[in-house]
Amino acid sequence: MSTVKIKDKEFSIFIPETQILEAIQRLANKINEEMEGKNPLFVGILNGSFMFAGDLMKCIKTNCEISFIKVASYSGTSSSGEVKQLIGFNDSIKGRNVVILEDIVDTGVTLENIINQLKEHEPADVRLATLLYKPAAFRKTFKIDYVAMEIPNDFIVGYGLDYDGYGRNLRDIYKIVE
Ligand code: 5GP
Ligand code: MG
């Protein structure tokens, strides 16, 4: 499919599944190298990261655990800047080498909130991994350790990412047609 319609908006194909999976494999190679023997705890941010987390975990070779938290920060096609925890962290974070898995970093507001909340649980180390990163929209100063793909400042859907709840099931990534 080269275009899809979701609710009132039209989207055109932007990143096909094969490219997504190649980028994830490259990211996993780096994580495998750097986290070997560190017993990492991956923490996926729901809902958006579920597909990324699934495909990434299949490429992780080192001993690890995975868990998820759920936040809500976005409505429609622009960031609200507010982050609500719907499913929170638990106490098993203490002393762990945590790798946060995010679908996309836009302004960075969501991730900064999550990092601050996570640090209260006293992890040994916190690293950040994201499938997508919009450098032109980023307003924060923290370092993102693992970025699978950088993209321009357009609204996208698919591969876990939604437009008002829909489109998460698409296996490719689509860009909004303005
Ligand atoms: P930030 O707080 O970095 O501005 O936004 C991060 C969150 O906003 C992401 O976790 C994601 O849920 C949502 N988001 C940011 N950009 C996009 C986009 O282009 N498409 C979709 N579907 N969600 C986005
Ligand atoms: Mg998200």
Side-chain angles (χ1 to χ4, degrees):
M1 267 185 302
S2 63
T3 64
V4 290
K5 186 151 195 233
I6 302 171
K7 295 193 156 178
D8 56 324
K9 303 227 186 294
E10 196 160 337
F11 296 85
S12 62
I13 186 87
F14 181 45
I15 311 171
E17 183 186 28
T18 50
Q19 269 181 44
I20 300 170
L21 296 178
E22 280 167 21
I24 290 174
Q25 181 63 64
R26 282 195 296 274
L27 195 97
N29 294 345
K30 206 173 154 202
I31 294 177
N32 283 328
E33 241 178 76
E34 296 183 7
M35 300 307 286
E36 175 62 36
K38 292 188 173 171
N39 187 26
L41 170 63
F42 292 93
V43 176
I45 315 296
L46 294 173
N47 294 321
S49 76
F50 79 96
M51 252 190 220
F52 169 48
D55 283 331
L56 178 74
M57 291 310 284
K58 289 184 250 175
C59 304
I60 296 296
K61 302 280 181 254
T62 189
N63 230 20
C64 64
E65 289 183 275
I66 182 158
S67 173
F68 290 89
I69 64 161
K70 180 164 178 162
V71 300
S73 66
Y74 222 77
S75 65
T77 59
S78 67
S79 192
S80 69
E82 276 168 52
V83 180
K84 258 194 305 190
Q85 271 201 27
L86 307 175
I87 302 172
F89 294 107
N90 60 40
D91 292 331
S92 63
I93 302 275
K94 193 167 178 173
R96 297 297 301 269
N97 293 305
V98 174
V99 182
I100 293 179
L101 304 179
E102 179 61 298
D103 51 356
I104 185 165
V105 181
D106 186 12
T107 62
V109 170
T110 309
L111 204 45
E112 184 167 78
N113 263 269
I114 291 168
I115 297 162
N116 290 339
Q117 291 175 24
L118 177 64
K119 284 187 173 159
E120 287 171 22
H121 295 265
E122 301 175 50
D125 182 43
V126 180
R127 295 189 188 205
L128 311 173
T130 187
L131 176 69
L132 300 160
Y133 172 49
K134 292 179 178 172
F138 195 60
R139 290 199 269 112
K140 301 292 176 181
T141 51
F142 60 81
K143 184 171 141 276
I144 307 170
D145 305 273
Y146 307 106
V147 175
M149 295 176 286
E150 290 192 2
I151 59 165
N153 203 0
D154 299 307
F155 186 77
I156 54 137
V157 294
Y159 197 76
L161 291 118
D162 71 306
Y163 169 50
D164 272 356
Y166 290 85
R168 296 192 194 276
N169 54 307
L170 298 166
R171 52 172 70 230
D172 308 296
I173 291 174
Y174 291 78
K175 181 166 95 172
I176 198 161
V177 178
E178 305 282 3

